[in-house]
Amino acid sequence: MPLMTAKEYIESLRRLKTRVYMFGEKIDNWVDHPIIRPSINCVAMTYALVQDPRYEDLMTATSSLTGRKVNRFTHLHQSADDLVKKVKMQRLLGQKTASCFQRCVGMDAFNAVYSTTFEIDEKHGTHYHENFKKFLIYVQDHDLTVDGAMTDPKGDRSKAPHQQTDPDLFVHVVERRPDGIVVCGAKAHQTGSINSHWHIFMPTIAMGEADRDWAVSFACPTDADGLYMIYGRQSCDTRKLETGGCIDQGNAKFGGQEALVVLDHVFIPNEYIFLNGEYEFAGMMVERFAGYHRQSYGGCKVGVGDVVIGAAALASEYNGVEKASHIRDKLIEMTHLNETLYSCGIACSCEGCPTKAGNYQIDLLLANVCKQNITRFPYEIVRLAEDIAGGLMVTMPSEQDFTSETVVGRNGETIGDICNKFFAGREGVSTQDRQKIMRFLENICLGAAAVGYRTESLHGAGSPQAQRIMIARQGNIQGKKELAKLIAGITRDSE
Ligand code: SF4
Ligand code: FE
């Protein structure tokens, strides 16, 4: 089956009976909804670039399961080179969309679940790995988008899943039948969930024996009976509902998407179950998924960073200050920060190694260092972009003002004339282009796209403390102490 085109992907979404709610109402035609559509365009780009021969090497791979050509977003990484190509592909997509293109969560789930199910079967004699392989072949052959759903709402963070007053605060099994299980619960802030054909659910934390019913992983169609989604708001999202132009949206074509995904007694047949009570493997699945997704940020956020740096450079030109040494230095600093992030993404990929199942895993320490830097550097990049752009990016009148023909001046000047007169920058630059770049920066620094570039950089793939725990675990301080002792001539063991 040939790989889907962007158009075919969008049409395939129309055939699903996905249940979506927003602003307290059911949205029937969510595919064409102005708030949702930019996020669909973003995922569509993961299909569109496959068709471009320039990107074939990055965007496609040969399936290790079938030998057929697949979209890299459905691929099991077979080498460190595959891991590097993944990061490069994500940077490319960040450059093309300046947004979160969502499809990576599925790719990261595939690779984490593939290796973890192998090890569960090895210990317990279960058949999860075979289940998963069959599912993934179906996904690869149909070129599907799959949401990797991990983050439970978690309720009282001091309590384990089984201790919560409401058991639904973590996804759990409520009934076991001969032919499958029934699950309840929810996953919060799910990237790209509505735009996915299927979901893979995974636990969100390591679990103990008492959490057995919460230690569950499975695949489920997005339009399964009992599954629905409540759309997450983004800053300035209702600008997408305004008529009369789209400059004020900043990035009218692309955007990210998060939603609350609710499972209300959803039946999962046995063939789609990948973990069911083997609680000691919950932590492994979480760690591996998080590791891959922390690597991912060393690609996608860097691509978006490239666009932010470009926009800041353009803003400086339009303001006539591009030759000022401090502007040049700020662009250098932004580039330095951005390339440092990329270096981390590439490094943890190059240091990748095979899992027992055969697919490749990133170096966990370096992936966590990568994501820890991502929790900081985009904020500094955005601060510098705002510094270069100037206050106009948040004080400029609306697009309608720039085109208004309402007369306000003594000599018949319109509101549009006045705006264009006073917001002109360097000679030869159209005021509208200046308007566009200011609104674009506003969008990415503190508008709808700031979800993807700022807050997601902080909390997506795990909040900063989650990486610090992993860095502490992987950092081998003991080994480093031995190095120091050897050179310093200390032979005694520490107390
Ligand atoms: Fe992909 Fe980045 Fe979005 Fe995660 S945050 S889904 S890695 S684009
Ligand atoms: Fe993310």
Side-chain angles (χ1 to χ4, degrees), residues 17-18 54 107 132 167 171 352 369 374 419:
K17 294 187 234 47
T18 308
R54 281 176 301 168
M107 166 174 55
F132 183 73
V171 170
V369 169
I374 299 273
C419 285

Side-chain angles (χ1 to χ4, degrees), residues 132-199:
F132 183 73
K133 278 203 296 197
K134 269 189 215 143
F135 170 68
L136 189 58
I137 289 170
Y138 173 77
V139 167
Q140 289 183 339
D141 284 351
H142 292 81
D143 198 10
L144 301 178
T145 291
V146 177
D147 178 32
M150 178 161 279
T151 313
D152 293 86
K154 297 199 281 281
D156 181 342
R157 271 61 173 170
S158 70
K159 292 181 174 169
H162 72 279
Q163 294 169 326
Q164 301 284 335
T165 315
D166 181 348
D168 291 346
L169 290 170
F170 288 79
V171 170
H172 62 127
V173 180
V174 292
E175 191 187 340
R176 288 193 164 83
R177 298 185 194 163
D179 55 345
I181 54 175
V182 178
V183 292
C184 277
K187 295 286 184 183
H189 20 87
Q190 283 311 298
T191 297
S193 54
I194 292 160
N195 301 338
S196 300
H197 303 99
W198 278 70
H199 279 58

Side-chain angles (χ1 to χ4, degrees), residues 389-415:
L392 187 61
M393 62 175 259
V394 291
T395 62
M396 198 169 42
S398 72
E399 185 177 355
Q400 286 95 325
D401 289 309
F402 279 85
T403 54
S404 169
E405 295 194 349
T406 302
V407 174
V408 285
R410 291 183 195 282
N411 295 318
E413 299 94 337
T414 64
I415 295 176

